[in-house]
Amino acid sequence: MAKMQENWRDIIADRLRERNKNESARFADIIHYNNRLFDTAAKLRQENLDLKIDKKIRDSVNVSGAGTGSTAFGTDVAAITNAQIQSLEKKVLAQQEELTDLHKRKGEHSQMVINLNQKLTDLQRLLAEKERALAEQTALALSLKEELDEMKASHVTIKDESLASQLRANTAEDKLRAVQDENTKLLNLLMEYKSRDAEIMNKENDKFVKEKKARIESELERAIRDIPGPSSIGADIDRFDVDGLPEGVEFKFDAHDGEVNAVRWSPIERIVATGGADRKVKLWDVGKGVCEQRGVLVGSNQGINSVEFDTTGSMILAASNDSASRMWSVVDHRLRVSEK
């Protein structure tokens, strides 16, 4: 960059020299003529001085000649000398006028030189300002170039980071897809296990119902044999799915806000589950001779139309009018499964 600045300075200096040469070429004749006039004036001054000396010599000779009595010869010499002196005086006057003209032209030329020097000074100052501005612009260009290089490096870094981020995002998407596939497989497996558990539970419930029905039928048969009466009672008694005939109302309570659609006894303890149109399943404890509410199972979107305990009495299943089945835990009353 320093070499470039030196080249610029040399170019500008050469241009200024060429411009000065071109500007002064139009005055070359005047300068040459001025120099000749100065030389002629100097020569004329010397001749004038010589003539003055010669005049003084002749004056002294004339004075000495008059003393010796050669009057005629002195008169001729004086006449010739006076004529020469007048001629020389005319030349001196012409030369003085020419010298005055030369002085005038010298003054004009001096003023022109002063103006040219002033212009040269202004141009040099302007050149210095231009060089200073050029240096500032060069420094600014260098700083901008450095910033541009830094921005290019930053752009490359950001681009590399973007590519790395894209690769990480693609890897994460692949992992997410793999996890989703695995979750789908696990969900399908869980549904299969639930289906199997439901089948096993249904089989156990069917088995329990059959055993209970067989036990009730056996007890009814024994009771019929012990009670005398028409034989037609045995044919109608199969319709009852109860342990015995009730003698009166043991409990009467308002279970739900609206209709009660389902009632089921727990298989292991004296707990009754009821389901109603208020979209709730309620558990009631009737083991202490009074009916106490033990819990409320919520989560259904429509009225409950069927409830059922599992064989262990720890879970309760309810079906609602929104074509959904839900399973709660009897212990903590939490909704475990909700499916349509």
Side-chain angles (χ1 to χ4, degrees), residues 165-338:
S165 301
Q166 186 66 31
L167 291 175
R168 287 195 296 270
N170 293 334
T171 304
E173 287 180 357
D174 294 337
K175 290 182 179 179
L176 178 62
R177 196 175 295 109
V179 170
Q180 288 177 349
D181 294 339
E182 186 177 357
N183 288 338
T184 303
K185 292 180 181 179
L186 292 175
L187 184 61
N188 293 332
L189 186 61
L190 179 63
M191 295 298 294
E192 184 178 355
Y193 286 157
K194 286 183 177 180
S195 178
R196 292 179 183 178
D197 291 340
E199 291 178 358
I200 294 172
M201 187 179 296
N202 291 332
K203 291 180 180 179
E204 290 179 355
N205 289 334
D206 292 340
K207 182 179 179 181
F208 176 76
V209 170
K210 289 179 180 179
E211 291 177 354
K212 186 176 181 181
K213 185 176 180 180
R215 186 174 64 253
I216 292 172
E217 289 178 352
S218 176
E219 291 177 357
L220 287 175
E221 289 178 356
R222 288 197 301 270
I224 291 172
R225 285 196 299 268
D226 294 340
I227 298 174
S231 58
S232 61
I233 296 176
D236 296 332
I237 203 68
D238 291 337
R239 297 177 300 168
F240 297 99
D241 190 15
V242 294
D243 293 337
L245 297 175
E247 296 179 356
V249 177
E250 186 172 357
F251 297 108
K252 183 178 180 182
F253 55 91
D254 295 330
H256 295 272
D257 297 334
E259 299 176 355
V260 178
N261 299 328
V263 179
R264 185 66 62 182
W265 285 90
S266 173
I268 60 172
E269 54 184 342
R270 294 182 64 81
I271 294 178
V272 177
T274 60
D278 57 357
R279 301 177 295 179
K280 298 177 182 178
V281 176
K282 296 184 179 180
L283 301 177
W284 307 91
D285 188 357
V286 295
K288 298 179 181 180
V290 293
C291 185
E292 296 180 355
Q293 183 174 310
R294 187 165 178 177
V296 179
L297 310 180
V298 296
S300 177
N301 297 325
Q302 296 291 334
I304 306 297
N305 53 28
S306 177
V307 294
E308 184 65 58
F309 287 94
D310 66 342
T311 56
T312 62
S314 60
M315 304 293 291
I316 185 169
L317 179 67
S320 57
N321 292 328
D322 58 353
S323 302
S325 298
R326 295 173 178 82
M327 185 178 296
W328 290 269
S329 173
V330 176
V331 177
D332 56 6
H333 307 158
R334 293 181 61 183
L335 180 64
R336 299 296 182 178
V337 181
S338 178

